[in-house]
């Protein structure tokens, strides 16, 4: 299949596929005699893997690490768990940060009257 068919099969944007190829997450496909790229089921599976990993918030570097384990056909669950555990810790840290931001912003917005007066606690908080 050509790149457009790969995009349709996976729901991935054409430009995103090109980007993944340029950064080495997707392998270069072989070319047909007419010069067109020819993607196969392995490309579909790999792209879906990358897309699911991105949906879970894995960085491209983390995805490269996971894919290198898959590509080596020598991965262990312990190696995969190590990468996933580190990513989970990052997600948990971000949640804590977002909860702190939410509290601070909620408190600040609650102080704002929302009227047509020039004084605004939100701006004051940002300026301080």
């Amino acid at each position: 299949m050509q790149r457009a068919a790969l995009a349709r099969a996976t729901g991935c944007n054409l430009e995103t596929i090109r980007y993944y190829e340029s950064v080495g997450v997707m392998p270069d496909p072989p070319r047909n005699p007419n010069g067109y790229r020819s993607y196969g089921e392995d490309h579909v599976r790999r792209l879906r893997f990358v897309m699911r990993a991105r949906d879970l918030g894995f960085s491209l570097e983390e995805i490269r690490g996971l894919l290198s384990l898959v590509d080596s056909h020598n991965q262990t669950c312990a190696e995969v768990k190590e990468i996933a555990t580190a990513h989970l810790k990052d997600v948990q840290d971000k949640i804590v940060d977002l909860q702190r931001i939410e509290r601070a912003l909620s408190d600040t917005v609650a102080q704002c009257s929302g009227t047509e007066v020039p004084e605004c606690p939100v701006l004051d908080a940002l300026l301080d």
Side-chain angles (χ1 to χ4, degrees):
M1 74 180 82
Q2 292 181 1
R3 188 181 284 148
L6 176 64
R8 281 190 302 276
T10 60
C12 188
N13 183 291
L14 281 170
E15 290 303 316
T16 303
I17 295 171
R18 285 187 186 104
Y19 174 71
Y20 287 156
E21 289 172 348
S22 73
V23 298
V25 174
M26 287 292 294
D28 289 331
R31 292 187 180 261
N32 289 334
N34 60 8
Y36 291 116
R37 290 174 176 84
S38 178
Y39 297 90
E41 194 56 36
D42 287 344
H43 292 97
V44 171
R45 285 182 34 245
R46 188 175 187 100
L47 183 54
R48 285 185 177 148
F49 177 98
V50 172
M51 291 171 64
R52 280 192 295 266
R54 294 295 287 162
D55 286 345
L56 291 173
F58 284 95
S59 69
L60 285 177
E61 195 56 41
E62 290 168 324
I63 293 170
R64 273 193 202 94
L66 290 168
L67 287 171
S68 71
L69 294 173
V70 170
D71 292 343
S72 73
H73 303 289
N74 200 17
Q75 78 272 4
T76 66
C77 193
E79 292 170 308
V80 175
K81 183 177 181 178
E82 183 179 335
I83 293 169
T85 300
H87 179 62
L88 177 60
K89 173 79 168 88
D90 289 344
V91 169
Q92 290 167 332
D93 291 346
K94 287 177 186 175
I95 289 171
V96 169
D97 285 344
L98 286 171
Q99 289 171 332
R100 180 188 51 77
I101 292 168
E102 178 190 28
R103 283 189 304 275
L105 189 54
S106 180
D107 292 346
T108 304
V109 167
Q111 296 172 21
C112 185
S113 69
T115 61
E116 298 295 323
V117 297
E119 298 82 21
C120 180
V122 175
L123 292 178
D124 292 342
L126 293 172
L127 290 169
D128 287 341

